[in-house]
């Protein structure tokens, strides 16, 4: 019969949702641990600002709301076992709670390191710095050992203060360069 799904395709969708749920669980745990670390580091903040909202932030929140309705529908109307909505639940936790919570993490400069757009970087692991001035001001942090860059998007109003903090950290020898730094 056309329009009906076969048991195999339903099972495949269930497996896919479970795997997505595992991925979102990992992302949720990572974001919650980052938030806990931020709460512990907050008292040592030197210059921080809230995280930048991702493009289509409102749409992501709507997605969280739709996921909550879907979960309620599956549990209350379809009487699906709670373990069968694991994937949707992990996506709801991510879009409805973890991602908005991560935006409260103060990006910027702390006593012992920099919180970039992806996480905390101790000053001792920074081997190089460079500013990228384009549509957004971006500080690129070069890892001392792994030779890859991480970025910190700096709001324009904090640019001068950020440069002063970096100069102070370099003068205090908190940041040791393995190569050349650019435009500091």
């Amino acid at each position: 019969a056309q329009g009906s799904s076969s048991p195999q395709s339903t099972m495949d969708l269930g497996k896919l949702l479970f795997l997505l749920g595992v991925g979102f669980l990992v992302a949720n745990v990572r974001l919650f641990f980052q938030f806990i670390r931020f709460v512990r580091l907050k008292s040592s903040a030197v210059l921080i600002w809230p995280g930048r909202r991702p493009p289509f932030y409102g749409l992501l929140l709507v997605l969280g709301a739709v996921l909550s309705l879907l979960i309620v529908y599956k549990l209350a109307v379809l009487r699906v076992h709670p373990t069968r909505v694991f994937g949707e639940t992990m996506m709801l936790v991510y879009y409805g709670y973890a991602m908005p919570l991560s935006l409260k993490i103060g990006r910027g400069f702390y006593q012992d390191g920099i919180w970039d757009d992806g996480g905390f970087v101790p000053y001792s692991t920074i081997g190089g710095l460079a500013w990228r001035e384009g549509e957004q001001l971006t500080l690129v942090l070069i890892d001392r050992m792994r030779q890859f860059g991480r970025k910190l998007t700096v709001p324009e109003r904090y640019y001068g203060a950020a440069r002063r903090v970096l100069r102070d950290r370099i003068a205090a020898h908190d940041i040791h360069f393995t190569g050349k730094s650019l435009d500091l």
Side-chain angles (χ1 to χ4, degrees):
Q2 287 182 330
S4 66
S5 61
S6 69
Q8 182 62 35
S9 66
T10 303
M11 202 162 168
D12 291 342
L13 179 60
K15 287 179 183 178
L16 176 64
L17 286 172
F18 180 80
L19 288 175
L20 280 172
V22 170
F24 275 94
L25 173 63
V26 170
N28 291 336
V29 169
R30 180 178 172 269
L31 288 176
F32 284 127
F33 275 122
Q34 281 188 346
F35 187 77
I36 290 168
R37 186 172 190 186
F38 162 68
V39 169
R40 290 183 181 153
L41 286 173
K42 191 174 182 179
S43 63
S44 72
V46 176
L47 175 67
I48 62 172
W49 52 88
R52 205 172 64 106
R53 287 185 174 181
F56 307 110
Y57 178 70
L59 185 63
L60 297 175
L61 293 178
V62 168
L63 180 60
V66 169
L67 283 165
S68 66
L69 293 173
L70 176 65
I71 292 167
V72 168
Y73 175 75
K74 281 183 152 185
L75 293 174
V77 177
L78 298 179
R79 304 241 185 252
V80 172
H81 193 274
T83 59
R84 302 288 309 259
V85 293
F86 172 73
E88 295 94 325
T89 302
M90 289 300 103
M91 287 185 258
L92 167 64
V93 169
Y94 180 83
Y95 291 116
Y97 301 100
M99 191 229 353
L101 188 64
S102 74
L103 296 179
K104 295 181 185 296
I105 295 173
R107 297 337 189 243
F109 302 91
Y110 293 82
Q111 196 65 34
D112 296 324
I114 298 173
W115 201 295
D116 67 17
D117 294 340
F120 187 76
V121 181
Y123 289 123
S124 61
T125 65
I126 298 173
L129 299 167
W131 283 102
R132 302 282 183 238
E133 298 175 5
E135 188 177 309
Q136 317 175 61
L137 295 169
T138 305
L139 176 63
V140 179
L141 312 167
I142 308 300
D143 188 274
R144 177 181 303 284
M145 298 297 175
R146 294 177 276 198
Q147 296 298 313
F148 71 89
R150 297 176 60 149
K151 66 179 188 154
L152 170 65
T153 305
V154 179
E156 195 170 326
R157 67 180 178 266
Y158 295 108
Y159 182 53
R163 290 175 65 90
R164 283 189 293 280
V165 169
L166 284 172
R167 284 188 189 129
D168 292 346
R169 293 294 168 197
I170 292 167
H173 301 289
D174 292 336
I175 300 173
H176 301 281
F177 297 109
T178 54
K180 285 192 165 188
S181 64
L182 303 175
D183 191 26
L184 291 175

